[in-house]
Amino acid sequence: MTNVLIERLRAGNRRYLKGDSEADVTAAVRLETAEKGQHPAAIVIACSDSRVIPEAIFDSGIGELFTIRVAGNVLDRHQLGSIEYAAAHLHCPLILVLGHTGCGAVGAALSGGGEGYIQYITDEILLAVGSVRDPDTACRLNVQHAVETIRRAFAEHPEIPSANLDIRGAIYDIRSGEVEWI
Ligand SMILES: [Zn+2]
């Protein structure tokens, strides 16, 4: 079932690259989703970076993506709670962690970490990348770490139907606009 959903995202990215949007943000779909509720196709965990807009990247309209954005696409309990809500209560079976090239949070972690509250983010990224200092490799490791964090979190919560969940990672190229599934 998730293959259909993944193909829906891939097709959306192809339309985005062509500048050929079909994303439905009309009043009609707004009213329909307000009355009948939301049935998003995927849960997307992405960076807060203003160049990384999941709804645009996957050419998705109102009600299609359940999106969580946080710098460095790192996960803590609030994000896991959001994922759990969409998976368990909205029955959304596809979870995508979307990292991106040129991520400032990953860069900050690689150059020694941040200060103040930013350190909570860079510490989590450093946990994911270990001694790696190549930004592209670090970006992938950070995505894979988030995927594993979700898997582990849900394995510890048997009330979540983890057998039905498909947890994937991908990298968005901020220059080309392409999404590489990893
Ligand atoms: Zn970023």
Side-chain angles (χ1 to χ4, degrees):
M1 182 193 170
T2 52
N3 284 344
V4 174
L5 300 175
I6 290 169
E7 184 46 45
R8 186 165 151 186
L9 296 183
R10 285 182 187 275
N13 185 238
R14 287 194 292 271
R15 289 195 303 277
Y16 169 65
L17 292 171
K18 281 196 279 182
D20 198 10
S21 178
E22 295 174 7
D24 194 346
V25 290
T26 59
V29 74
R30 191 172 68 234
L31 287 173
E32 188 188 328
T33 51
E35 284 166 15
K36 295 181 181 168
Q38 57 170 326
H39 304 284
I43 302 163
V44 180
I45 301 100
C47 185
S48 300
D49 192 305
S50 60
R51 300 164 294 181
V52 181
I53 309 168
E55 286 79 1
I57 292 165
F58 295 114
D59 190 37
S60 297
I62 295 170
E64 289 194 74
L65 297 181
F66 190 94
T67 306
I68 299 150
R69 289 179 68 180
V70 56
N73 41 270
V74 293
L75 298 168
D76 204 342
R77 292 176 190 173
H78 298 105
Q79 291 77 37
L80 289 169
S82 299
I83 296 167
E84 180 173 332
Y85 170 72
H89 298 282
L90 302 178
H91 309 292
C92 190
L94 176 62
I95 302 173
L96 175 64
V97 179
L98 184 67
H100 70 99
T101 60
C103 182
V106 171
L110 296 182
S111 52
E115 295 176 337
Y117 286 107
I118 296 170
Q119 194 183 345
Y120 289 103
I121 294 168
T122 52
D123 278 355
E124 183 69 12
I125 295 170
L126 285 170
L127 199 63
V129 306
S131 59
V132 167
R133 288 296 174 269
D134 172 65
D136 290 338
T137 311
C139 183
R140 279 163 197 273
L141 289 172
N142 188 44
V143 167
Q144 282 161 1
H145 175 73
V147 167
E148 288 306 317
T149 299
I150 297 166
R151 287 207 176 112
R152 220 174 26 247
F154 285 171
E156 291 165 3
H157 288 259
E159 67 274 19
I160 306 295
S162 55
N164 300 327
L165 290 180
D166 194 358
I167 308 167
R168 300 295 185 99
I171 306 288
Y172 172 67
D173 188 317
I174 61 167
R175 192 171 290 274
S176 72
E178 287 175 42
V179 173
E180 181 197 351
W181 293 71
I182 56 177

PDB file of all heavy atoms in Angstrom, residues 2-21:
ATOM      1  N   THR A   2       1.966   1.199   0.770  1.00  0.00           N
ATOM      2  CA  THR A   2       2.790   2.410   0.836  1.00  0.00           C
ATOM      3  C   THR A   2       3.500   2.688  -0.495  1.00  0.00           C
ATOM      4  O   THR A   2       3.880   3.831  -0.750  1.00  0.00           O
ATOM      5  CB  THR A   2       3.834   2.338   1.966  1.00  0.00           C
ATOM      6  OG1 THR A   2       4.563   1.135   1.844  1.00  0.00           O
ATOM      7  CG2 THR A   2       3.186   2.417   3.326  1.00  0.00           C
ATOM      8  N   ASN A   3       3.681   1.617  -1.331  1.00  0.00           N
ATOM      9  CA  ASN A   3       4.306   1.867  -2.643  1.00  0.00           C
ATOM     10  C   ASN A   3       3.496   2.868  -3.458  1.00  0.00           C
ATOM     11  O   ASN A   3       4.062   3.701  -4.170  1.00  0.00           O
ATOM     12  CB  ASN A   3       4.451   0.555  -3.430  1.00  0.00           C
ATOM     13  CG  ASN A   3       5.601  -0.270  -2.892  1.00  0.00           C
ATOM     14  OD1 ASN A   3       6.449   0.250  -2.153  1.00  0.00           O
ATOM     15  ND2 ASN A   3       5.632  -1.530  -3.254  1.00  0.00           N
ATOM     16  N   VAL A   4       2.183   2.769  -3.346  1.00  0.00           N
ATOM     17  CA  VAL A   4       1.298   3.708  -4.059  1.00  0.00           C
ATOM     18  C   VAL A   4       1.518   5.126  -3.520  1.00  0.00           C
ATOM     19  O   VAL A   4       1.577   6.099  -4.276  1.00  0.00           O
ATOM     20  CB  VAL A   4      -0.189   3.292  -3.873  1.00  0.00           C
ATOM     21  CG1 VAL A   4      -1.120   4.321  -4.482  1.00  0.00           C
ATOM     22  CG2 VAL A   4      -0.426   1.921  -4.464  1.00  0.00           C
ATOM     23  N   LEU A   5       1.666   5.217  -2.195  1.00  0.00           N
ATOM     24  CA  LEU A   5       1.855   6.531  -1.566  1.00  0.00           C
ATOM     25  C   LEU A   5       3.218   7.113  -1.937  1.00  0.00           C
ATOM     26  O   LEU A   5       3.349   8.320  -2.196  1.00  0.00           O
ATOM     27  CB  LEU A   5       1.718   6.413  -0.048  1.00  0.00           C
ATOM     28  CG  LEU A   5       0.364   5.883   0.458  1.00  0.00           C
ATOM     29  CD1 LEU A   5       0.392   5.689   1.966  1.00  0.00           C
ATOM     30  CD2 LEU A   5      -0.768   6.823   0.054  1.00  0.00           C
ATOM     31  N   ILE A   6       4.236   6.246  -1.967  1.00  0.00           N
ATOM     32  CA  ILE A   6       5.580   6.713  -2.354  1.00  0.00           C
ATOM     33  C   ILE A   6       5.550   7.202  -3.803  1.00  0.00           C
ATOM     34  O   ILE A   6       6.109   8.253  -4.126  1.00  0.00           O
ATOM     35  CB  ILE A   6       6.625   5.589  -2.163  1.00  0.00           C
ATOM     36  CG1 ILE A   6       6.840   5.338  -0.664  1.00  0.00           C
ATOM     37  CG2 ILE A   6       7.948   5.945  -2.839  1.00  0.00           C
ATOM     38  CD1 ILE A   6       7.647   4.092  -0.345  1.00  0.00           C
ATOM     39  N   GLU A   7       4.874   6.464  -4.650  1.00  0.00           N
ATOM     40  CA  GLU A   7       4.787   6.873  -6.060  1.00  0.00           C
ATOM     41  C   GLU A   7       4.041   8.205  -6.192  1.00  0.00           C
ATOM     42  O   GLU A   7       4.384   9.038  -7.038  1.00  0.00           O
ATOM     43  CB  GLU A   7       4.115   5.772  -6.891  1.00  0.00           C
ATOM     44  CG  GLU A   7       4.053   6.065  -8.387  1.00  0.00           C
ATOM     45  CD  GLU A   7       5.376   6.598  -8.985  1.00  0.00           C
ATOM     46  OE1 GLU A   7       6.461   6.057  -8.677  1.00  0.00           O
ATOM     47  OE2 GLU A   7       5.327   7.577  -9.747  1.00  0.00           O
ATOM     48  N   ARG A   8       3.057   8.409  -5.323  1.00  0.00           N
ATOM     49  CA  ARG A   8       2.320   9.683  -5.320  1.00  0.00           C
ATOM     50  C   ARG A   8       3.286  10.843  -4.991  1.00  0.00           C
ATOM     51  O   ARG A   8       3.231  11.901  -5.632  1.00  0.00           O
ATOM     52  CB  ARG A   8       1.206   9.588  -4.268  1.00  0.00           C
ATOM     53  CG  ARG A   8       0.265  10.751  -4.234  1.00  0.00           C
ATOM     54  CD  ARG A   8      -0.969  10.367  -3.428  1.00  0.00           C
ATOM     55  NE  ARG A   8      -1.575  11.509  -2.787  1.00  0.00           N
ATOM     56  CZ  ARG A   8      -2.591  11.426  -1.935  1.00  0.00           C
ATOM     57  NH1 ARG A   8      -3.110  10.255  -1.622  1.00  0.00           N
ATOM     58  NH2 ARG A   8      -3.101  12.509  -1.383  1.00  0.00           N
ATOM     59  N   LEU A   9       4.172  10.626  -4.038  1.00  0.00           N
ATOM     60  CA  LEU A   9       5.147  11.669  -3.692  1.00  0.00           C
ATOM     61  C   LEU A   9       6.157  11.859  -4.824  1.00  0.00           C
ATOM     62  O   LEU A   9       6.529  12.988  -5.167  1.00  0.00           O
ATOM     63  CB  LEU A   9       5.876  11.316  -2.388  1.00  0.00           C
ATOM     64  CG  LEU A   9       5.031  11.236  -1.112  1.00  0.00           C
ATOM     65  CD1 LEU A   9       5.908  10.960   0.099  1.00  0.00           C
ATOM     66  CD2 LEU A   9       4.222  12.507  -0.889  1.00  0.00           C
ATOM     67  N   ARG A  10       6.602  10.749  -5.399  1.00  0.00           N
ATOM     68  CA  ARG A  10       7.562  10.842  -6.522  1.00  0.00           C
ATOM     69  C   ARG A  10       6.949  11.615  -7.693  1.00  0.00           C
ATOM     70  O   ARG A  10       7.605  12.447  -8.313  1.00  0.00           O
ATOM     71  CB  ARG A  10       7.953   9.440  -7.004  1.00  0.00           C
ATOM     72  CG  ARG A  10       8.914   8.684  -6.085  1.00  0.00           C
ATOM     73  CD  ARG A  10       9.230   7.335  -6.741  1.00  0.00           C
ATOM     74  NE  ARG A  10       9.989   6.447  -5.913  1.00  0.00           N
ATOM     75  CZ  ARG A  10      11.324   6.451  -5.813  1.00  0.00           C
ATOM     76  NH1 ARG A  10      12.027   7.320  -6.489  1.00  0.00           N
ATOM     77  NH2 ARG A  10      11.945   5.577  -5.042  1.00  0.00           N
ATOM     78  N   ALA A  11       5.700  11.313  -7.989  1.00  0.00           N
ATOM     79  CA  ALA A  11       5.015  11.990  -9.099  1.00  0.00           C
ATOM     80  C   ALA A  11       4.862  13.481  -8.786  1.00  0.00           C
ATOM     81  O   ALA A  11       5.020  14.335  -9.673  1.00  0.00           O
ATOM     82  CB  ALA A  11       3.647  11.352  -9.342  1.00  0.00           C
ATOM     83  N   GLY A  12       4.584  13.786  -7.516  1.00  0.00           N
ATOM     84  CA  GLY A  12       4.469  15.186  -7.103  1.00  0.00           C
ATOM     85  C   GLY A  12       5.788  15.917  -7.283  1.00  0.00           C
ATOM     86  O   GLY A  12       5.823  17.072  -7.740  1.00  0.00           O
ATOM     87  N   ASN A  13       6.888  15.251  -6.947  1.00  0.00           N
ATOM     88  CA  ASN A  13       8.206  15.872  -7.117  1.00  0.00           C
ATOM     89  C   ASN A  13       8.512  16.100  -8.606  1.00  0.00           C
ATOM     90  O   ASN A  13       9.093  17.127  -8.971  1.00  0.00           O
ATOM     91  CB  ASN A  13       9.295  15.020  -6.450  1.00  0.00           C
ATOM     92  CG  ASN A  13      10.672  15.668  -6.488  1.00  0.00           C
ATOM     93  OD1 ASN A  13      11.628  15.112  -7.000  1.00  0.00           O
ATOM     94  ND2 ASN A  13      10.790  16.885  -5.964  1.00  0.00           N
ATOM     95  N   ARG A  14       8.094  15.157  -9.443  1.00  0.00           N
ATOM     96  CA  ARG A  14       8.303  15.341 -10.898  1.00  0.00           C
ATOM     97  C   ARG A  14       7.529  16.560 -11.404  1.00  0.00           C
ATOM     98  O   ARG A  14       8.036  17.349 -12.208  1.00  0.00           O
ATOM     99  CB  ARG A  14       7.888  14.072 -11.662  1.00  0.00           C
ATOM    100  CG  ARG A  14       8.857  12.910 -11.498  1.00  0.00           C
ATOM    101  CD  ARG A  14       8.602  11.813 -12.536  1.00  0.00           C
ATOM    102  NE  ARG A  14       7.339  11.117 -12.346  1.00  0.00           N
ATOM    103  CZ  ARG A  14       7.188  10.030 -11.576  1.00  0.00           C
ATOM    104  NH1 ARG A  14       8.223   9.506 -10.940  1.00  0.00           N
ATOM    105  NH2 ARG A  14       6.013   9.442 -11.462  1.00  0.00           N
ATOM    106  N   ARG A  15       6.306  16.742 -10.917  1.00  0.00           N
ATOM    107  CA  ARG A  15       5.521  17.921 -11.323  1.00  0.00           C
ATOM    108  C   ARG A  15       6.186  19.202 -10.822  1.00  0.00           C
ATOM    109  O   ARG A  15       6.242  20.215 -11.536  1.00  0.00           O
ATOM    110  CB  ARG A  15       4.087  17.828 -10.775  1.00  0.00           C
ATOM    111  CG  ARG A  15       3.236  16.774 -11.437  1.00  0.00           C
ATOM    112  CD  ARG A  15       1.747  16.970 -11.122  1.00  0.00           C
ATOM    113  NE  ARG A  15       1.442  16.970  -9.706  1.00  0.00           N
ATOM    114  CZ  ARG A  15       1.253  15.885  -8.958  1.00  0.00           C
ATOM    115  NH1 ARG A  15       1.313  14.682  -9.523  1.00  0.00           N
ATOM    116  NH2 ARG A  15       0.970  15.974  -7.671  1.00  0.00           N
ATOM    117  N   TYR A  16       6.690  19.159  -9.588  1.00  0.00           N
ATOM    118  CA  TYR A  16       7.395  20.318  -8.999  1.00  0.00           C
ATOM    119  C   TYR A  16       8.582  20.710  -9.870  1.00  0.00           C
ATOM    120  O   TYR A  16       8.803  21.906 -10.151  1.00  0.00           O
ATOM    121  CB  TYR A  16       7.833  19.931  -7.592  1.00  0.00           C
ATOM    122  CG  TYR A  16       8.795  20.864  -6.900  1.00  0.00           C
ATOM    123  CD1 TYR A  16       8.444  22.167  -6.552  1.00  0.00           C
ATOM    124  CD2 TYR A  16      10.076  20.422  -6.543  1.00  0.00           C
ATOM    125  CE1 TYR A  16       9.333  23.007  -5.887  1.00  0.00           C
ATOM    126  CE2 TYR A  16      10.969  21.246  -5.875  1.00  0.00           C
ATOM    127  CZ  TYR A  16      10.601  22.543  -5.556  1.00  0.00           C
ATOM    128  OH  TYR A  16      11.482  23.359  -4.896  1.00  0.00           O
ATOM    129  N   LEU A  17       9.329  19.694 -10.327  1.00  0.00           N
ATOM    130  CA  LEU A  17      10.516  19.969 -11.153  1.00  0.00           C
ATOM    131  C   LEU A  17      10.133  20.583 -12.493  1.00  0.00           C
ATOM    132  O   LEU A  17      10.869  21.395 -13.053  1.00  0.00           O
ATOM    133  CB  LEU A  17      11.320  18.673 -11.369  1.00  0.00           C
ATOM    134  CG  LEU A  17      12.005  18.119 -10.106  1.00  0.00           C
ATOM    135  CD1 LEU A  17      12.585  16.734 -10.367  1.00  0.00           C
ATOM    136  CD2 LEU A  17      13.094  19.069  -9.621  1.00  0.00           C
ATOM    137  N   LYS A  18       8.958  20.178 -12.991  1.00  0.00           N
ATOM    138  CA  LYS A  18       8.501  20.702 -14.284  1.00  0.00           C
ATOM    139  C   LYS A  18       7.757  22.031 -14.135  1.00  0.00           C
ATOM    140  O   LYS A  18       7.402  22.664 -15.128  1.00  0.00           O
ATOM    141  CB  LYS A  18       7.563  19.688 -14.951  1.00  0.00           C
ATOM    142  CG  LYS A  18       8.302  18.530 -15.615  1.00  0.00           C
ATOM    143  CD  LYS A  18       7.407  17.771 -16.577  1.00  0.00           C
ATOM    144  CE  LYS A  18       6.530  16.801 -15.854  1.00  0.00           C
ATOM    145  NZ  LYS A  18       5.661  15.987 -16.720  1.00  0.00           N
ATOM    146  N   GLY A  19       7.461  22.409 -12.895  1.00  0.00           N
ATOM    147  CA  GLY A  19       6.666  23.620 -12.670  1.00  0.00           C
ATOM    148  C   GLY A  19       5.235  23.438 -13.117  1.00  0.00           C
ATOM    149  O   GLY A  19       4.589  24.366 -13.616  1.00  0.00           O
ATOM    150  N   ASP A  20       4.734  22.212 -12.924  1.00  0.00           N
ATOM    151  CA  ASP A  20       3.450  21.804 -13.467  1.00  0.00           C
ATOM    152  C   ASP A  20       2.511  21.409 -12.320  1.00  0.00           C
ATOM    153  O   ASP A  20       2.074  20.270 -12.230  1.00  0.00           O
ATOM    154  CB  ASP A  20       3.734  20.589 -14.378  1.00  0.00           C
ATOM    155  CG  ASP A  20       2.615  20.329 -15.337  1.00  0.00           C
ATOM    156  OD1 ASP A  20       1.718  21.174 -15.434  1.00  0.00           O
ATOM    157  OD2 ASP A  20       2.649  19.260 -15.976  1.00  0.00           O
ATOM    158  N   SER A  21       2.202  22.368 -11.447  1.00  0.00           N
ATOM    159  CA  SER A  21       1.501  22.030 -10.194  1.00  0.00           C
ATOM    160  C   SER A  21       0.044  21.640 -10.393  1.00  0.00           C
ATOM    161  O   SER A  21      -0.678  22.250 -11.176  1.00  0.00           O
ATOM    162  CB  SER A  21       1.565  23.222  -9.234  1.00  0.00           C
ATOM    163  OG  SER A  21       0.857  22.914  -8.048  1.00  0.00           O
TER     164      SER A  21
END
